[in-house]
Amino acid sequence: YVELHDINKHFKKFHASKDINISIEKGKLVALLGPSGSGKTTILRMIAGLEQPDSGEILIDGKVVNNTPGSERGIGFVFQNYALFRYMTVYDNIAFGLRVKKIPEEEIRDRVKELLELINCEGLEKRFPSQLSGGQRQRVAFARALAPNPQILLLDEPFAAIDAKVRLELRTWLREMITKLNITSIFVTHDQDEAIEVADEIIVTNLGKVEQSGTPQELYKNPATPFVAQFIGHSV
Ligand code: ATP
């Protein structure tokens, strides 16, 4: 599981994360929900080791990981706008993290095949990202993040760049995939409907703080602050 204890982060004088306390159970799908600039991505990047907090502790499975390099935290990251390598095929994109780990090419072949089946993209391995639909690209980004078998999957606005109809399909698909894999997942969104429909738990952020966390029902029935009431209440 993932825990953040009293995390603070500044960018120069700007206080981007204020006394953040979060606890995420294993296998849960959690949404970090808040308006633009509320500090969601910063939290995700600190968990991934892409940013260092100024103070506080980050724990994964009970172990403090502040000084553990991101690459050794067992984390897969799906970036906003897919961030696939444009000049690499689907196969090479998915294989990337495995090659970095010096896994034998034969094993890589099996793993990529398995992942292509998981994302329903068999037969697309030779295509380049520009030859895929938005939904397919996002599935490939998902497979690339999952390739090294992470324990935790972080997704930054995974549906943002996708048109509305495909976005709905992709939400359902992601929900099913994550349940099947039983992988702890945290995704960033500013979309209340998305968080309510997809997440087991929602962490609401505002102005660098956590306003409230709980199940979608808890937040809807018992909002802790006027901000949560207004932010969550609008969508249902
Ligand atoms: P968005 O949905 O717009 O991405 P967010 O809730 O994810 O918003 P963050 O990206 O975490 O918010 O940013 C929180 C604040 O910290 C913003 O005001 C942003 O400008 C600032 N910030 C983030 N990264 C940096 C950085 N590297 N240097 C300076 N300021 C930063």
Side-chain angles (χ1 to χ4, degrees), residues 44 76-80 82 138 141-142 145 153-158:
L44 216 59
F77 206 120
V78 178
F79 293 92
Q80 208 169 350
Y82 338 108
Q138 197 54 311
F142 184 76
L153 189 65
L154 305 178
L155 307 108
D156 193 356
E157 296 270 6

Coordinates of all heavy atoms in Angstrom, one line a residue, residues 44 76-80 82 138 141-142 145 153-158:
L44 N 1.4 12.9 -7.5 CA 1.7 11.7 -8.3 C 3.2 11.6 -8.6 O 3.8 10.6 -8.4 CB 0.9 11.8 -9.6 CG 0.4 10.5 -10.2 CD1 -0.5 9.8 -9.3 CD2 -0.3 10.7 -11.5
G76 N 4.6 1.9 -12.2 CA 4.4 2.2 -13.6 C 3.7 3.5 -13.8 O 2.8 3.8 -13.0
F77 N 4.1 4.3 -14.8 CA 3.5 5.6 -14.9 C 2.9 5.8 -16.3 O 3.6 5.6 -17.3 CB 4.6 6.7 -14.7 CG 4.1 8.0 -14.2 CD1 4.6 8.5 -13.0 CD2 3.2 8.8 -14.9 CE1 4.2 9.8 -12.5 CE2 2.8 10.0 -14.5 CZ 3.3 10.5 -13.3
V78 N 1.6 6.1 -16.4 CA 1.0 6.5 -17.7 C 0.9 8.0 -17.7 O 0.1 8.6 -16.9 CB -0.4 5.8 -17.8 CG1 -1.0 6.2 -19.1 CG2 -0.2 4.3 -17.7
F79 N 1.6 8.6 -18.6 CA 1.6 10.1 -18.6 C 0.4 10.6 -19.4 O -0.2 9.9 -20.2 CB 2.9 10.6 -19.3 CG 4.1 10.3 -18.5 CD1 4.8 9.1 -18.7 CD2 4.5 11.1 -17.5 CE1 6.0 8.8 -17.9 CE2 5.7 10.9 -16.7 CZ 6.4 9.7 -16.9
Q80 N 0.2 11.9 -19.1 CA -0.9 12.6 -19.9 C -0.5 12.6 -21.4 O 0.7 12.6 -21.7 CB -0.9 14.0 -19.4 CG -2.3 14.7 -19.5 CD -2.3 16.0 -18.7 OE1 -1.4 16.3 -18.0 NE2 -3.3 16.8 -18.9
Y82 N -0.5 10.3 -23.5 CA 0.2 9.0 -23.9 C 1.7 9.1 -23.8 O 2.3 8.1 -23.2 CB -0.1 8.5 -25.3 CG -1.4 9.0 -25.9 CD1 -1.4 9.9 -26.9 CD2 -2.6 8.6 -25.4 CE1 -2.6 10.4 -27.5 CE2 -3.8 9.0 -26.0 CZ -3.8 9.9 -27.0 OH -4.9 10.4 -27.6
Q138 N -3.7 5.0 -26.0 CA -3.7 5.0 -24.5 C -3.6 3.6 -24.0 O -3.0 3.4 -22.9 CB -5.0 5.7 -24.0 CG -5.0 6.1 -22.6 CD -3.8 7.0 -22.2 OE1 -2.6 6.6 -22.5 NE2 -4.0 8.0 -21.5
A141 N 0.0 2.8 -24.1 CA 0.7 3.5 -23.0 C 0.5 2.7 -21.7 O 1.4 2.6 -20.9 CB 0.2 4.9 -22.8
F142 N -0.7 2.1 -21.5 CA -1.0 1.3 -20.4 C -0.1 0.1 -20.3 O 0.5 -0.3 -19.3 CB -2.5 1.0 -20.4 CG -3.1 0.3 -19.3 CD1 -3.3 0.9 -18.1 CD2 -3.4 -1.1 -19.4 CE1 -3.9 0.2 -17.1 CE2 -4.0 -1.8 -18.4 CZ -4.3 -1.1 -17.2
A145 N 3.5 0.8 -19.4 CA 3.6 1.0 -18.0 C 3.6 -0.3 -17.2 O 4.3 -0.5 -16.2 CB 2.6 2.0 -17.5
L153 N 0.3 1.4 -10.1 CA 0.2 2.1 -11.4 C -0.3 3.5 -11.2 O -1.3 3.7 -10.5 CB -0.8 1.3 -12.3 CG -0.9 1.8 -13.7 CD1 0.4 1.5 -14.5 CD2 -2.0 1.0 -14.4
L154 N 0.4 4.5 -11.7 CA 0.0 5.9 -11.6 C -0.4 6.4 -13.0 O 0.3 6.2 -13.9 CB 1.2 6.7 -11.1 CG 1.9 6.2 -9.7 CD1 3.0 7.1 -9.4 CD2 0.8 6.2 -8.6
L155 N -1.5 7.1 -13.0 CA -2.0 7.6 -14.3 C -2.4 9.0 -14.2 O -3.2 9.4 -13.4 CB -3.2 6.8 -14.7 CG -3.1 5.2 -14.7 CD1 -3.9 4.6 -13.6 CD2 -3.6 4.6 -16.0
D156 N -1.7 9.8 -15.0 CA -2.0 11.3 -15.0 C -3.0 11.7 -16.1 O -2.7 11.6 -17.3 CB -0.7 12.0 -15.2 CG -0.8 13.5 -14.9 OD1 -1.9 13.9 -14.5 OD2 0.2 14.2 -14.9
E157 N -4.2 12.0 -15.7 CA -5.3 12.4 -16.6 C -5.3 11.4 -17.8 O -5.2 11.8 -19.0 CB -5.0 13.8 -17.2 CG -5.1 14.9 -16.1 CD -6.5 15.5 -15.9 OE1 -7.5 14.9 -16.5 OE2 -6.7 16.4 -15.1
P158 N -5.5 10.1 -17.5 CA -5.4 9.1 -18.6 C -6.4 9.2 -19.7 O -6.2 8.7 -20.8 CB -5.6 7.8 -17.9 CG -6.3 8.1 -16.6 CD -5.9 9.5 -16.2

